[in-house]
């Protein structure tokens, strides 16, 4: 007999002899078909119907060319999936068998051996069905019949007496971005998007574990481990936590037990930038008569977190206190990293979160129009010290509040909270993205000619979902220290002055309002949870938009199809004219668009950080993309860092020296986000021309006390600082030093917009140090050095100062590294 088959049979035998065993039915041979047709085709589970159609060469890749338009018919069809799996007599000897669907997208009917078991109506729920009496020895046929979410959504919309915006997406509990966004395609898909499991168990099983942190000191952590257990029969059982045994008595049916547990000399889970993100493994097992019936493992972190909102003379604070210390939140917003979520790999999750850590972030907001992310996402955040602001999946529309919808939402919240709550990275649960603002500010009532009664109903529906159902479900399913709830983000729309004095803010005066970047210096909120600007993706990603030879032109129909904002190119052009010389060449245009995006976000981030502690958080829009696209992201679909991500890494350093020009004066700010405090810091200032000549050299001492991690230095009148120099030909070199004269931060300040700088051609030399390290040097200022090649550079889009050199590591060797600087775009 083949060794592989023998090992598989032995494994099955071990599993069926255990008190609990699990079969992954995803690995069976699956088929699918259009419900109107008879021919079955090969399918993959987890998967989506679009991926299966692509694999069978029935539709083109919608990410290529203008193919998105060619696949819109898919959303209007019904689709059937099926598999045949064998059940042994030994397996049927188990007392119980549960069929578990971790994700069905979205409206389906489940059949086993011809019997309908269940109807589903929510992509975000887990569906567990007892099937012991429906299984048979030998072949079993499992079928899932999916109905068109678009058709069902339209039918549900007809039941409401007024027009709902974004209909029909708000009527269906599925990923809202599938219906199209201003950075993503319309790909309303269907299918078995998560694993299908068949679980056998006997006597009793652990259903859920939640871990409460009662007290945390340097000496010990006092925990309560709450466990839900379902028992077939009452009796005495053994309960183990990391091999510490307790005896418990269980009643027949559902049991909820609480067991105290201690960890001595605990190490804290710290956010990125404050120390190690220490994790502890807990394994909980249930035994009877020395046989393990069921077990679950959790990885936890020991930390405290509070959302602090206290009235002050300017409004009300909004910040997170972690382990007793106020934390300045630095981070971004996350969208699903593929329109077809089953193909997001664990490696992609780990890389993107590591990219956040490497860019000095400590928080990420999971945006409410996507999905509750895979376990791997939260695992990566736990490991990398990234706190998670978790939206529930509602975004930018009005939602119904009929009893069926509310019950569905209640169960969805329960499923997701029970799955996620033990992750130390979860910092806040937020009801929705921009729905309060949509009701108040977006004019839908006028557009759709609502009556007064209609408008009142919208508010009633909103309050029912986000002020009653969700917070009540959180209260029922969370331990108290984890129950930090924020009903909507932003709390107040960006057109209202209060949006800058309390709560969190989505400031879109830049981009949507078309105000210049400098408005960020005036519009500083207490906590910036969204703001952004678009930039082109890498050239590699632009080329990936084409199935054939790429047409690298802004007039290319393909490139236009991959800009989902109707006025995107027009707005980029308007801002580019303000700050840069606009190149005719596409490669140079691509480069400048990235610099433009990075410049805008740098101005915003620095304005926020200078306002510490008034402002205590800055989360830009957005980290990633779901397909190749011109968007607000700092990392493109293929994982390449745009200029923005490199700039974010610099702007989010724990210790920075920043400047602010105001009414002819220059202010200097030393910012410290570390737990270790500043002591006697000084800033050294050099006025340098673009050839490297030092025109002025001075040191300014601190002015006043260092408060809340920020020191404001004496301001200097600009005309006295640069004196007879042309401000277009000089810059400031800033060095922040501590009392031991150790350099803790550096920065450069330019007095003119990039288009007005009087640059000369740099003579750039690249020296190969090793296969994966180079040294780059220049004779004169090389502004915005852009290293090009099929590799990841440790730094890029940086200023290389006159007569200076910089070492760069490469993720993989390259024979030749091409270089572009701002000078090249001003001298076409």
């Amino acid at each position: 007999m083949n060794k592989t088959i023998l090992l598989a049979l032995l494994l099955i035998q071990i599993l069926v002899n255990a008190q609990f065993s699990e079969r992954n039915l995803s690995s069976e041979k699956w088929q699918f078909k259009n419900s109107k047709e008879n021919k079955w085709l090969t399918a993959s589970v987890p998967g989506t119907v679009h991926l299966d159609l692509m694999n069978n060469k029935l539709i083109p890749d919608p990410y290529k060319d203008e193919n998105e338009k060619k696949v819109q018919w898919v959303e209007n069809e019904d689709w059937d999936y099926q598999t045949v799996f064998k059940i042994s007599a030994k397996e049927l000897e188990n007392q119980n068998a549960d069929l578990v669907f971790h994700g069905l997208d979205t409206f389906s009917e489940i059949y086993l051996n011809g019997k309908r078991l269940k109807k589903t109506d929510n992509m975000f729920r887990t569906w567990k069905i007892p099937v012991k009496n429906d299984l048979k020895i030998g072949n079993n046929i499992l079928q899932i019949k999916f109905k068109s979410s678009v058709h069902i959504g339209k039918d549900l919309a007809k039941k409401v007496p007024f027009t709902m915006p974004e209909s029909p997406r708000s009527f269906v509990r599925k990923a809202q971005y599938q219906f199209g966004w201003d950075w993503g395609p319309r790909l309303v898909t269907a299918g078995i998007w998560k694993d299908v499991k068949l679980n056998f168990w006997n006597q009793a099983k652990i259903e859920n574990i939640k871990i409460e942190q009662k007290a945390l000191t340097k000496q010990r952590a006092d925990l309560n481990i709450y466990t839900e257990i379902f028992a077939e029969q009452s009796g005495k059982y053994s309960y183990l936590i990391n091999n510490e045994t307790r005896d418990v008595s269980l009643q027949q049916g559902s049991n909820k037990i609480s067991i105290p547990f201690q960890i001595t000399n605990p190490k804290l889970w710290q956010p990125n930038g404050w120390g190690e993100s220490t994790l502890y493994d807990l394994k909980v097992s249930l035994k009877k008569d020395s046989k393990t019936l069921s077990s679950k493992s959790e990885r936890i972190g020991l930390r405290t977190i509070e959302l602090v909102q206290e009235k002050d003379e300017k409004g009300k604070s909004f910040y997170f206190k972690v382990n007793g210390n106020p934390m300045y939140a630095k981070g971004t917003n996350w969208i699903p990293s593929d329109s077809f979520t089953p193909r997001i790999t664990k490696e992609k999750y780990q890389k993107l979160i590591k990219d956040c850590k490497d860019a000095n972030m400590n928080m990420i907001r999971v945006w409410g129009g996507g999905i509750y992310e895979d376990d791997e996402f939260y695992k990566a955040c736990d490991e990398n010290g990234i706190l998670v602001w978790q939206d529930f999946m509602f975004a930018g529309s009005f939602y119904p509040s009929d009893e069926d919808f509310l019950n569905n939402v209640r169960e969805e919240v329960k499923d997701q909270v029970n799955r996620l709550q033990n992750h130390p990275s979860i910092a806040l649960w937020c009801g929705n993205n921009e729905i309060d603002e949509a009701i108040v500010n977006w004019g839908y009532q006028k557009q759709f000619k609502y009556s007064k009664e209609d408008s009142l109903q919208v508010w009633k529906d909103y309050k029912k979902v986000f002020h009653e159902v969700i917070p009540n479900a959180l209260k029922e399913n969370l331990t108290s220290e984890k129950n930090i709830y924020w009903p909507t983000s932003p709390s107040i729309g960006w057109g209202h002055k209060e949006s800058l004095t309390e709560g969190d803010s989505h400031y879109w005066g830049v981009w949507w309002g078309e105000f210049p970047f400098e408005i960020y210096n005036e519009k500083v909120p207490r906590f910036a949870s969204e703001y952004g600007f678009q930039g082109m993706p890498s050239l590699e990603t632009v080329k990936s938009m084409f199935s054939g030879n790429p047409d690298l032109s802004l007039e290319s129909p393909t490139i236009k199809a991959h800009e989902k904002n109707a006025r995107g190119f027009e707005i980029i052009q308007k801002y580019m004219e303000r700050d840069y010389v606009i190149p005719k060449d596409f490669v140079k245009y691509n480069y400048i668009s990235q610099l433009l995006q990075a410049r805008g976000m740098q101005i915003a981030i620095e304005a926020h950080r200078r306002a510490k502690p008034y402002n205590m958080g800055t989360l830009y829009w957005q980290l990633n993309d779901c397909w190749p696209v011109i968007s607000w992201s700092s990392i493109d679909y293929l994982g390449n860092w745009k200029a923005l991500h490199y700039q974010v890494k610099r702007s989010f350093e724990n210790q920075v020296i920043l400047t602010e020009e105001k009414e002819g004066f220059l202010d200097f700010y030393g910012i410290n986000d570390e737990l270790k405090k500043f002591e006697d810091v000084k800033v050294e200032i050099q006025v340098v021309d673009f050839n490297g000549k030092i025109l002025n050299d001075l040191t300014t001492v601190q002015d006043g006390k260092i408060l809340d991690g920020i020191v404001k230095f004496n301001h200097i009148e600009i005309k006295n600082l640069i004196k007879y120099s042309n401000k277009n030909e000089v810059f400031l070199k800033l060095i922040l030093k501590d009392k031991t004269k150790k350099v803790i931060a550096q920065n450069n300040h330019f007095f003119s917009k990039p288009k007005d700088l009087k640059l000369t051609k740099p003579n750039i030399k690249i020296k190969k140090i090793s296969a994966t390290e180079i040294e780059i040097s220049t004779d004169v200022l090389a502004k915005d050095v852009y290293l090009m090649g099929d590799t990841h550079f440790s730094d890029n889009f940086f200023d290389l100062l006159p007569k200076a050199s910089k070492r760069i590591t490469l993720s993989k060797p390259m024979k030749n590294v091409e270089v572009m600087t701002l000078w090249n775009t001003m001298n076409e």
Side-chain angles (χ1 to χ4, degrees):
M1 182 182 285
N2 182 290
K3 285 185 179 180
T4 305
I5 295 173
L6 181 60
L7 283 170
L9 289 172
L10 285 171
L11 180 60
I12 291 171
Q13 192 63 36
I14 290 166
L15 289 173
V16 298
N17 285 333
Q19 296 301 303
F20 177 90
S21 62
E22 183 178 79
R23 280 183 59 180
N24 188 352
L25 298 185
S26 305
S27 58
E28 301 289 339
K29 291 182 178 179
W30 284 86
Q31 297 176 304
F32 85 111
K33 68 178 182 68
N34 189 314
S35 63
K36 296 174 184 173
E37 298 172 0
N38 295 318
K39 185 180 178 183
W40 289 94
L41 303 163
T42 303
S44 295
V45 174
T48 74
V49 68
H50 286 84
L51 292 176
D52 290 329
L53 289 166
M54 286 164 60
N55 290 336
N56 283 276
K57 301 190 178 347
L58 294 174
I59 61 170
D61 185 344
Y63 290 9
K64 303 285 188 183
D65 307 319
E66 297 178 78
N67 291 341
E68 179 196 352
K69 300 172 187 175
K70 298 177 182 178
V71 303
Q72 293 306 304
W73 62 272
V74 176
E75 69 180 39
N76 294 309
E77 300 297 315
D78 299 337
W79 301 95
D80 298 342
Y81 280 74
Q82 76 170 25
T83 189
V84 177
F85 61 95
K86 290 187 183 299
I87 290 290
S88 68
K90 191 72 176 175
E91 285 175 310
L92 273 187
E93 289 177 8
N94 287 286
Q95 294 174 356
N96 300 280
D98 292 336
L99 189 57
V100 183
F101 294 89
H102 290 279
L104 294 172
D105 183 10
T106 292
F107 295 95
S108 77
E109 294 181 347
I110 301 167
Y111 293 83
L112 181 58
N113 296 324
K115 177 185 174 182
R116 192 177 83 173
L117 300 178
K118 199 170 200 62
K119 292 178 72 173
T120 77
D121 58 358
N122 191 323
M123 177 180 177
F124 305 124
R125 285 177 60 183
T126 298
W127 305 95
K128 184 167 61 178
I129 310 164
V131 292
K132 171 67 189 295
N133 297 328
D134 301 303
L135 293 171
K136 61 182 182 180
I137 297 171
N139 287 340
N140 290 257
I141 301 175
L142 178 60
Q143 293 181 311
I144 299 96
K145 297 178 179 289
F146 291 96
K147 296 289 185 184
S148 164
S149 292
V150 172
H151 287 172
I152 291 180
K154 287 178 179 177
D155 289 341
L156 291 169
K158 290 174 184 175
K159 296 178 181 179
V160 177
F162 50 87
T163 303
M164 297 271 264
E166 303 291 342
S167 183
R169 74 166 168 85
S170 57
F171 290 89
V172 297
R173 293 309 300 140
K174 74 187 267 105
Q176 302 285 274
Y177 82 113
Q178 290 184 3
F179 293 83
W181 226 266
D182 55 5
W183 38 256
R186 183 181 175 101
L187 294 166
V188 187
T189 192
I192 307 167
W193 75 289
K194 288 193 171 186
D195 276 326
V196 183
K197 302 286 181 71
L198 183 59
N199 295 338
F200 298 100
W201 58 279
N202 297 287
Q203 295 182 287
K205 63 171 177 175
I206 297 172
E207 304 245 79
N208 185 50
I209 294 171
K210 54 185 178 184
I211 298 163
E212 178 184 29
Q213 185 178 283
K214 293 288 288 182
L216 181 61
T217 65
K218 289 182 178 180
Q219 290 73 37
R220 71 184 199 187
D222 290 326
L223 310 177
N224 268 343
I225 299 179
Y226 296 97
T227 308
E228 294 179 33
I229 300 172
F230 189 89
E232 284 283 296
Q233 58 189 42
S234 61
K236 294 196 177 296
Y237 295 77
S238 296
Y239 185 93
L240 284 77
I241 306 174
N242 288 2
N243 297 319
E244 290 185 20
T245 304
R246 319 276 177 99
D247 291 330
V248 292
S249 294
L250 301 179
Q251 302 300 313
Q252 186 178 22
S254 183
N255 295 260
K256 292 184 178 180
I257 65 170
S258 172
I259 303 289
F261 187 77
Q262 287 184 358
I263 297 174
T264 56
N265 302 316
K267 294 181 180 179
L268 294 180
W269 184 93
Q270 295 280 21
N272 184 34
W274 280 9
E276 293 298 314
S277 305
T278 304
L279 296 168
Y280 288 88
D281 291 303
L282 291 179
K283 184 178 181 181
V284 176
S285 301
L286 185 67
K287 286 189 173 186
K288 189 169 179 60
D289 301 329
S290 301
K291 292 181 180 177
T292 300
L293 305 179
S294 182
S295 63
K296 283 185 179 291
S297 295
E298 297 285 348
R299 273 196 117 189
I300 66 166
L302 303 173
R303 53 94 177 130
T304 62
I305 188 160
E306 306 166 62
L307 175 60
V308 181
Q309 295 185 84
E310 296 173 339
K311 287 185 178 180
D312 55 31
E313 68 279 3
K314 295 179 181 177
K316 189 189 288 186
S317 68
F318 189 104
Y319 68 91
F320 293 92
K321 186 181 279 189
V322 182
N323 297 326
N325 297 297
M327 185 193 81
Y328 190 91
K330 296 176 289 194
T332 185
N333 285 257
W334 170 281
I335 66 168
S337 56
D338 206 301
S339 283
F340 304 127
T341 52
R343 67 178 177 188
I344 308 173
T345 62
K346 290 184 177 182
E347 290 75 19
K348 188 168 188 178
Y349 278 118
Q350 287 286 348
K351 180 190 178 298
L352 283 168
I353 299 303
K354 180 65 162 52
D355 288 343
C356 291
K357 180 178 184 178
D358 290 346
N360 302 303
M361 298 185 199
N362 57 24
M363 179 170 276
I364 193 164
R365 174 176 173 244
V366 178
W367 170 74
I371 61 172
Y372 305 95
E373 285 296 340
D374 186 83
D375 292 343
E376 193 69 24
F377 169 86
Y378 302 95
K379 176 176 177 285
C381 290
D382 292 345
E383 293 167 349
N384 288 285
I386 308 295
L387 287 163
V388 176
W389 170 311
Q390 177 66 56
D391 279 7
F392 288 100
M393 295 300 120
F394 303 86
S397 184
F398 303 168
Y399 287 81
S401 70
D402 58 90
E403 202 57 35
D404 286 345
F405 188 84
L406 295 179
N407 287 335
N408 207 351
V409 169
R410 191 177 291 111
E411 293 301 316
E412 171 187 322
V413 173
K414 179 181 178 181
D415 281 357
Q416 295 300 332
V417 165
N418 282 338
R419 179 173 73 96
L420 300 177
Q421 67 169 287
N422 294 324
H423 287 279
S425 54
I426 299 283
L428 176 129
W429 307 91
C430 179
N432 68 75
N433 171 76
E434 295 185 348
I435 298 178
D436 185 301
E437 181 167 7
I439 296 171
V440 174
N441 290 339
W442 292 0
Y444 284 133
Q445 294 89 331
K446 185 177 180 180
Q447 178 184 342
F448 296 119
K449 299 177 181 177
Y450 281 14
S451 67
K452 185 178 179 180
E453 290 73 22
D454 296 340
S455 295
L456 286 172
Q457 187 60 48
V458 168
W459 271 116
K460 286 179 183 176
D461 293 344
Y462 174 82
K463 288 178 179 177
K464 196 77 178 171
V465 176
F466 301 107
H467 288 269
E468 293 180 35
V469 170
I470 292 179
N472 288 342
L474 290 176
K475 190 175 180 180
E476 290 170 9
N477 293 286
L478 283 172
T479 56
S480 60
E481 85 284 4
K482 296 189 177 81
N483 191 1
I484 302 175
Y485 178 65
W486 190 240
T488 186
S489 180
S491 46
I492 303 167
W494 66 267
H496 302 268
K497 64 179 182 180
E498 293 83 5
S499 70
L500 301 178
T501 62
E502 61 184 86
D504 72 313
S505 172
H506 295 189
Y507 181 71
W508 285 105
V510 170
W511 186 267
W512 292 112
E514 298 183 33
F515 293 111
F517 290 142
E518 288 72 21
I519 197 74
Y520 282 129
N521 294 317
E522 302 172 29
K523 304 293 186 179
V524 177
R526 306 308 293 258
F527 192 101
S529 50
E530 246 193 58
Y531 59 92
F533 195 85
Q534 283 196 353
M536 299 284 285
S538 67
L539 289 170
E540 178 194 9
T541 300
V542 173
K543 291 173 184 177
S544 78
M545 299 173 183
F546 297 84
S547 57
N549 292 326
D551 173 16
L552 298 183
S553 161
L554 291 179
E555 299 306 312
S556 163
T558 291
I559 290 178
K560 285 183 176 180
H562 288 75
E563 164 61 274
K564 302 304 274 183
N565 185 277
R567 294 186 57 239
F569 284 119
E570 178 187 341
I571 295 172
I572 292 171
Q573 181 85 2
K574 186 173 184 177
Y575 278 84
M576 197 179 286
E577 286 171 350
R578 293 172 181 166
D579 288 0
Y580 289 89
V581 175
I582 300 179
K584 297 183 179 68
D585 174 74
F586 181 85
V587 174
K588 292 177 181 176
Y589 179 92
N590 178 286
Y591 160 63
I592 292 297
S593 86
Q594 290 199 37
L595 292 183
L596 178 71
Q597 180 189 29
R599 173 176 163 80
M601 296 302 93
Q602 178 184 6
I603 291 171
I605 291 168
E606 293 186 357
H608 298 157
R609 294 194 71 186
R610 288 196 308 265
K612 181 183 179 180
Y614 178 84
N615 171 279
M616 283 296 287
T618 181
L619 311 178
Y620 68 90
W621 183 268
Q622 67 205 58
L623 176 72
N624 54 328
D625 285 323
C626 64
W627 75 317
V629 65
I630 296 98
S631 84
W632 291 266
S633 71
S634 62
I635 299 176
D636 68 27
Y637 176 68
L638 296 183
N640 299 300
W641 287 26
K642 294 157 71 169
L644 172 56
H645 207 79
Y646 285 101
Q647 181 56 51
V648 162
K649 180 180 181 180
R650 293 187 279 268
S651 294
F652 279 169
E653 287 279 0
N654 257 355
Q655 296 174 318
V656 290
I657 175 70
L658 303 178
T659 56
E660 181 183 23
E661 284 192 40
K662 193 184 294 183
E663 299 175 349
F665 286 84
L666 197 60
D667 288 321
F668 302 88
Y669 299 80
I671 317 288
N672 175 37
D673 291 336
E674 290 186 358
L675 292 177
K676 185 180 178 182
K677 299 188 183 308
F678 270 159
E679 289 184 16
D680 299 329
V681 289
K682 295 182 179 182
V683 59
E684 294 180 0
I685 304 166
Q686 291 181 340
V687 182
V688 187
D689 70 16
F690 292 171
N691 293 316
K693 183 179 179 182
I694 298 173
L695 306 176
N696 199 351
D697 196 350
L698 64 154
T699 300
T700 181
V701 297
Q702 69 177 59
D703 179 26
K705 294 180 180 178
I706 302 170
L707 296 172
D708 299 306
I710 182 168
V711 55
K712 185 176 179 180
F713 296 93
N714 293 316
H715 65 235
I716 300 175
E717 195 168 5
I718 293 173
K719 67 180 182 181
N720 292 333
L721 185 63
I722 60 177
K723 294 184 178 177
Y724 308 112
S725 307
N726 184 332
K727 70 175 185 177
N728 299 335
E729 297 176 343
V730 298
F731 66 95
L732 298 186
K733 182 179 178 182
L734 309 171
I735 302 174
L736 189 67
K737 292 184 176 181
D738 65 15
K739 63 181 180 181
T740 67
K741 296 187 178 182
K742 177 186 175 184
V743 175
I744 55 177
Q746 297 186 66
N747 201 357
N748 306 313
H749 177 87
F750 291 86
F751 294 95
S752 302
K753 291 188 173 185
K755 69 178 181 180
D756 297 322
L757 297 175
K758 302 295 183 184
L759 300 172
T760 54
K761 184 179 180 179
N763 178 24
I764 293 176
K765 295 180 180 179
I766 295 179
K767 178 182 176 183
K768 186 176 180 181
I769 305 299
S770 70
T772 56
E773 187 177 16
I774 58 172
E775 184 176 82
I776 181 168
S777 60
T778 181
D779 55 345
V780 299
L781 173 69
K783 189 86 177 74
D784 300 313
V785 174
Y786 175 28
L787 304 174
M788 293 177 279
D790 181 23
T791 190
H792 175 76
F793 298 99
S794 59
D795 199 5
N796 211 343
F797 302 94
F798 55 83
D799 294 337
L800 190 59
L801 302 189
K803 300 175 180 60
S805 63
K806 184 180 180 73
R807 289 201 174 189
I808 303 290
T809 57
L810 287 62
S811 61
K812 60 182 180 182
M814 279 191 66
K815 285 186 178 180
N816 297 305
V817 176
E818 293 184 61
V819 184
M820 187 184 295
T821 70
L822 188 62
W823 181 88
N824 297 103
T825 69
M826 302 167 81
N827 295 273
E828 283 190 300

